[in-house]
């Protein structure tokens, strides 16, 4: 948990109360009440400095994200946003915000820094070949960490990615881990939290958003409809976070991996 003394030194204000928040599988997150009446969120972990730069990149596009207030290596302080239940207006706001994010383009696929979810590395070295990036930097980033039979099936699928994915889609700025738990609905709309940014096919974020839930219809009304062939590409893109969950949290996620591989004939 964030150290009170470190928070007070960073913010120059005494801390009145620290309350754990939901989440925290890969970092610790707390709500901090300050003596001057303000509330902020503090995160600790080995990659919060990189996260701060990603949040700044998201905010620069006009997409909603919590403001970075302060940070040091290992400690990040963010604007506190009061969460509410998702509403049609919130889903519509997410559609608008994600469209703004994806309209920001990079020169290549990747990101200036590598990232990781715990021990699961996310190599981000730039590439001009999107199926090659998805093969080398995602699906085959660490085959040795997967069950042998799953690794063989993923390797066989990777040989066919040139036929399943577009070769040169727009290199959109991605959130990179956009499951519904990383969307924070507020009275003002919807904010993007806990990013793992890089440039790539915008459909990566759309696939992740449907992995553990279904966006409200107002989201697609504002973001736009899927292109032909979406279900097959969705399975390819959902396979990556399914593999991450299998590695981090064990065999309970094997069925999720199977759910992605089987319709692809892998």
């Amino acid at each position: 948990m964030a150290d009170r003394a470190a928070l007070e030194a960073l913010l120059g204000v005494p801390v009145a109360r620290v309350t754990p928040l939901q989440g925290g599988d890969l970092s610790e997150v707390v709500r901090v009440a300050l003596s001057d009446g303000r509330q902020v969120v503090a995160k600790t972990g080995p990659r919060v400095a990189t996260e701060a730069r990603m949040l700044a990149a998201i905010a620069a596009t006009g997409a909603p994200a919590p403001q970075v207030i302060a940070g040091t290596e290992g400690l990040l302080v963010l604007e506190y946003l009061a969460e509410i239940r998702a509403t049609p207006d919130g889903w519509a706001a997410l559609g608008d915000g994600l469209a703004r994010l994806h309209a920001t383009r990079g020169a290549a696929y990747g990101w200036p820094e590598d990232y990781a979810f715990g021990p699961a590395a996310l190599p981000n070295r730039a590439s001009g070949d999107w199926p090659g990036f998805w093969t080398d930097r995602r699906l085959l980033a660490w085959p040795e960490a997967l069950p042998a039979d799953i690794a063989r099936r993923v390797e066989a699928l990777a040989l066919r990615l040139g036929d399943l994915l577009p070769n040169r889609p727009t290199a959109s700025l991605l959130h990179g881990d956009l499951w519904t738990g990383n969307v924070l609905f507020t009275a003002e709309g919807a904010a993007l939290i806990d990013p793992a940014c890089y440039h790539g096919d915008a459909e990566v974020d759309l696939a992740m958003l449907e992995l553990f839930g279904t966006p409200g219809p107002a989201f697609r009304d504002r973001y736009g409809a899927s292109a032909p062939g979406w279900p097959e590409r969705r399975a390819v893109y959902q396979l990556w976070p399914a593999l991450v969950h299998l590695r981090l949290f064990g065999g309970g996620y094997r069925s999720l991996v199977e759910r992605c591989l089987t319709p692809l004939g892998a």
Side-chain angles (χ1 to χ4, degrees), residues 84-93 185-186 189 216 218:
I84 65 171
R85 294 187 64 174
T87 65
D89 285 347
W91 283 114
F185 293 98
T186 71

Side-chain angles (χ1 to χ4, degrees), residues 211-263:
L211 185 60
F212 296 119
T214 302
F219 169 77
R220 279 292 188 175
D221 289 344
R222 299 294 276 271
Y223 182 89
S226 302
W230 163 240
E232 190 171 57
R233 294 190 302 277
R234 177 176 57 193
V236 175
Y237 291 145
Q238 288 182 341
L239 177 58
W240 160 247
L243 293 172
V244 171
H245 278 74
L246 178 62
R247 177 169 183 184
L248 295 181
F249 307 118
Y253 284 95
R254 185 183 178 97
S255 62
L256 181 61
V257 173
E258 298 272 1
R259 193 178 84 194
C260 299
L261 286 169
T262 299

Side-chain angles (χ1 to χ4, degrees), residues 8-64:
E8 291 174 346
L10 183 61
L11 298 174
V13 180
V15 170
R17 186 172 63 257
V18 176
T19 307
L21 291 176
Q22 290 182 344
D25 288 329
L26 302 174
S27 62
E28 292 186 322
V29 187
V30 296
R31 178 175 171 181
V32 181
L34 302 174
S35 63
D36 61 7
R38 289 181 296 154
Q39 296 189 75
V40 297
V41 171
K43 295 186 68 173
T44 57
R47 298 185 180 272
V48 293
T50 301
E51 179 179 343
R53 290 186 283 273
M54 291 175 173
L55 286 169
I58 290 173
T61 73

Side-chain angles (χ1 to χ4, degrees), residues 109-130:
Y109 309 115
W111 191 251
E113 303 175 74
D114 290 339
Y115 201 55
F117 299 134
L122 279 74
N124 281 326
R125 182 166 54 85
S127 172
D129 171 15
W130 175 244

